[in-house]
């Protein structure tokens, strides 16, 4: 196999959770483009179906969709059973559930528990049950999707000219959830590694055109490459970690942020 063939995902089967959250659609498009059979899973079926329709319109066909509400063992077991029934193998799991958040810091216990059950307990159970499938196969790549807030605290000065956007990123649980993926990638990598399976994390920078212009300008001023991420930047990193090109990399977090967190 030559070096370029190692990036191919032809014949591989991938599952992406919560593709309606940031980066999900771009990752799905990238995996499809690299040859993978891509499946989606989410509790938000309308939003998931909209993602699938948008991808189909762009030429990337989704192979199937699952209604899945992370946060209980019963739901994770049911998803794993469905995957074992429907797919010959599960080669790639992209866990994208940390897009859920509540704005601001004034949350009730019930609000906090709802988010943590979905985006933390749910992630652990998903990786546990689907990771067992990969371990039985003896191969597989788990990819946890986070963003730059996993590596640095949000900068209040980025919101100087768009204060209305500050409550979104200064959410009570935002940095906690995003940062937890960094260490969980190490934990899962250690557990799955002896079975030939890998687990890594990507900490993306904001996608161009998805945030207020004032925030994007402030973010770019602080970065090295002086631009925001495009869809191809998101897709390429995910394809790398999903493919055999990264077969000797596990337990690591890659910052795909134009150098923002390098300062």
């Amino acid at each position: 196999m030559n070096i370029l063939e190692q990036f191919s995902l032809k014949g591989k089967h991938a599952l992406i959770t919560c593709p309606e959250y940031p980066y999900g659609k771009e990752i799905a498009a990238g995996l499809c483009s690299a040859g993978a059979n891509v499946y989606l899973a989410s509790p938000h079926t309308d939003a998931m179906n909209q993602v699938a329709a948008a991808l189909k319109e762009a030429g990337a066909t989704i192979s199937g969709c699952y209604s899945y509400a992370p946060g209980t063992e019963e739901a994770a077991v049911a998803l794993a059973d469905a995957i074992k029934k429907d797919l010959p193998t599960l080669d790639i799991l992209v866990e994208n559930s940390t897009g859920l958040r509540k704005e601001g810091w004034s949350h009730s216990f019930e609000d906090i528990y709802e988010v943590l059950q979905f985006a933390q307990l749910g992630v652990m159970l998903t990786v546990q049950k689907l990771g067992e499938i990969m371990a039985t196969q003896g191969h597989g790549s788990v990819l946890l999707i986070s963003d730059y807030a996993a590596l640095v605290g949000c900068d209040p000065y980025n919101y100087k000219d768009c204060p209305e956007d500050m409550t979104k990123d200064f959410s009570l649980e935002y940095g906690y959830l995003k940062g937890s993926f960094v260490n969980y990638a190490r934990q899962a990598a250690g557990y799955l590694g002896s079975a030939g399976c890998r687990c890594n994390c990507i900490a993306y920078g904001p996608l161009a055109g998805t945030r207020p212009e004032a925030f994007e300008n402030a973010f770019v001023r602080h970065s090295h490459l002086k631009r925001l991420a495009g869809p191809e930047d998101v897709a390429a990193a995910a394809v790398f970690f999903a493919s055999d090109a990264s077969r000797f990399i596990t337990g690591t977090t890659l910052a795909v942020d134009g150098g923002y967190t390098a300062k």
Side-chain angles (χ1 to χ4, degrees):
M1 180 182 294
N2 66 40
I3 194 69
L4 291 180
E5 289 175 342
Q6 293 182 31
F7 289 88
S8 172
L9 301 180
K10 185 177 181 180
K12 294 184 181 292
H13 297 82
L15 179 71
I16 303 175
T17 65
C18 297
E20 68 277 9
Y21 288 156
Y23 315 113
K25 183 173 70 174
E26 291 76 18
I27 290 171
L31 299 186
C32 286
S33 179
N37 302 300
V38 176
Y39 297 77
L40 309 178
S42 175
H44 311 119
T45 53
D46 287 345
M48 176 173 61
N49 290 335
Q50 288 174 11
V51 170
L55 288 166
K56 183 177 181 179
E57 186 175 344
T61 301
I62 296 301
S63 298
C65 294
Y66 295 90
S67 178
Y68 173 54
T72 67
E73 185 170 11
E74 292 78 10
V77 168
L79 178 63
D81 287 344
I83 293 298
K84 286 186 283 188
K85 176 177 177 291
D86 297 343
L87 277 60
T89 58
L90 178 62
D91 306 291
I92 303 153
L93 169 62
V94 179
E95 176 47 76
N96 193 43
S97 297
T98 61
L100 179 68
R101 73 177 83 168
K102 304 283 186 180
E103 294 187 17
W105 278 43
S106 299
H107 301 173
S108 66
F109 172 82
E110 290 76 17
D111 286 341
I112 297 169
Y113 183 77
E114 176 189 356
V115 173
L116 296 184
Q117 181 182 24
F118 183 96
Q120 202 158 53
L121 176 60
V123 168
M124 288 187 284
L125 289 169
T126 304
V127 172
Q128 177 195 31
K129 299 305 179 185
L130 299 187
E132 288 172 355
I133 297 175
M134 292 180 168
T136 300
Q137 299 169 169
H139 72 274
S141 176
V142 177
L143 184 54
L144 308 179
I145 304 304
S146 189
D147 67 27
Y148 71 99
L151 305 175
V152 295
C154 294
D155 186 348
Y157 289 100
N158 286 349
Y159 308 88
K160 179 176 177 293
D161 297 319
C162 53
E164 69 285 350
D165 212 54
M166 187 169 176
T167 57
K168 296 178 182 179
D169 288 353
F170 279 85
S171 161
L172 181 64
E173 67 282 328
Y174 174 44
Y176 175 74
L177 289 173
K178 296 295 185 181
S180 68
F181 269 25
V182 173
N183 211 45
Y184 191 54
R186 300 185 184 110
Q187 175 82 358
Y191 183 78
L192 295 171
S194 60
C197 305
R198 302 180 290 114
C199 182
N200 292 288
C201 177
I202 299 180
Y204 286 110
L207 264 166
T210 62
R211 303 297 300 270
E213 183 179 1
F215 174 87
E216 293 190 349
N217 290 340
F219 191 96
V220 166
R221 281 196 297 271
H222 186 85
S223 71
H224 286 312
L225 294 183
K226 305 306 178 189
R227 68 174 180 87
L228 295 179
E232 297 82 5
D233 301 310
V234 172
V239 168
F240 169 67
F241 275 122
S243 73
D244 290 340
S246 62
R247 65 186 180 275
F248 199 57
I249 301 173
T250 194
T252 191
T253 296
L254 177 66
V256 182
D257 63 358
Y260 182 88
T261 59
K263 292 189 175 183

